[in-house]
Amino acid sequence: NKILTVGKAKNMLVWTLPGQQWTLAKTLGDGKAADPFVDRVPALAFSPDGNRLVTGTGVPSRNGILVTWDTKTWEPIATNDDAHDDAITAVSFSPDGSKFATASTDQKVKVFETDSLTYVQTFEGHTSHVLDVTWNEDDLTIASSGADLQVKVWDLTAGQEKSKVEGFDKEVSSVSYVGGTETLLTASGDKTLKLSTAALPNTGDTFLHTADVSEDGKLIIAGGQDSVLRLWDATAKKLIGEFPSVYSVMSDTSKFGFSPEILSLP
């Protein structure tokens, strides 16, 4: 339950990890054979009840493949080899877990039934790769972000675009609904992290790859090209923590549950 890190300041830090330790439960695939995954696995999501795992992969410019797994037996329940015309980039479940939405580099967002992987509907309108998708807890809308520098909000009942968000200078890599509201959290390659259209401070000088928000909407976390995880208070819109890839100096991390001990090196 300890981690030892070595820093360029000629010191070692011993970190005592809080809480329960994680152990590997299962590995799907071996990274070599084309079964069950023919290529990279850029998309996966657990159903709200934890009983299903959906994985999204595919051969670029050829197809997008979906597999639904039973998390008790880890056996595949259903497979759809032609879910998209290009690789799948993201998966997001509906609140009841019966359906999920997918994003793909074929510029489309689609909805499928969870257990059967039966196609339900398609949303078209992005003009480049769709990089992320999120399903609102109100079960009325989904939102998607893309390399076309915009976010689109889709009306599930009408089956069409409801609104869009622009004003990004590079691809929008991540989008999430905040706390069951209509507010969107977005991360972009233009180094901005936004709540609705308001940019959060201290995001670093880096391409942002991903961001997420806690279920209660109070904490936001984001990661980018500089290998630093940053944590914000969503209400105060204030940076409250940073987690670099390697700690080279002592920092106040007690509030996050870490207990560091310092060891001097000659």
Side-chain angles (χ1 to χ4, degrees), residues 3 11 19 32 35 40 51 99 131 134 168 171 181 187 210 217 221 263:
I3 292 177
N11 62 16
K32 299 177 182 179
D35 184 23
R40 293 166 293 179
N51 292 329
K99 298 186 290 292
L131 302 177
T134 181
F168 301 95
E171 51 265 59
T181 69
T210 188
I221 195 165
L263 300 177

Side-chain angles (χ1 to χ4, degrees), residues 203-236:
T203 56
D205 187 26
T206 187
F207 186 114
L208 292 177
H209 290 293
T210 188
D212 206 353
V213 60
S214 59
E215 188 174 355
D216 60 9
K218 294 182 179 180
L219 292 174
I220 291 170
I221 195 165
Q225 192 72 31
D226 62 359
S227 301
V228 179
L229 281 174
R230 293 179 172 88
L231 188 69
W232 287 264
D233 180 320
T235 303

Side-chain angles (χ1 to χ4, degrees), residues 92-146:
S92 182
F93 273 94
S94 64
D96 65 2
S98 64
K99 298 186 290 292
F100 61 86
T102 56
S104 170
T105 51
D106 66 4
Q107 304 180 16
K108 298 175 183 177
V109 174
K110 292 187 177 183
V111 175
F112 296 87
E113 298 285 349
T114 299
D115 283 344
S116 65
L117 294 183
T118 301
Y119 162 79
V120 177
Q121 63 188 138
T122 297
F123 298 95
E124 296 187 65
H126 281 285
T127 56
S128 188
H129 297 174
V130 187
L131 302 177
D132 200 12
V133 64
T134 181
W135 199 304
N136 200 348
E137 291 181 16
D138 63 12
D139 210 15
L140 298 175
T141 58
I142 58 176
S144 57
S145 63

Side-chain angles (χ1 to χ4, degrees), residues 132-134 143-145 151 172-177 184-187 211:
D132 200 12
V133 64
T134 181
S144 57
S145 63
V151 172
V172 189
S173 53
S174 178
V175 62
S176 302
Y177 278 106
L184 291 171
L185 171 71
T186 57

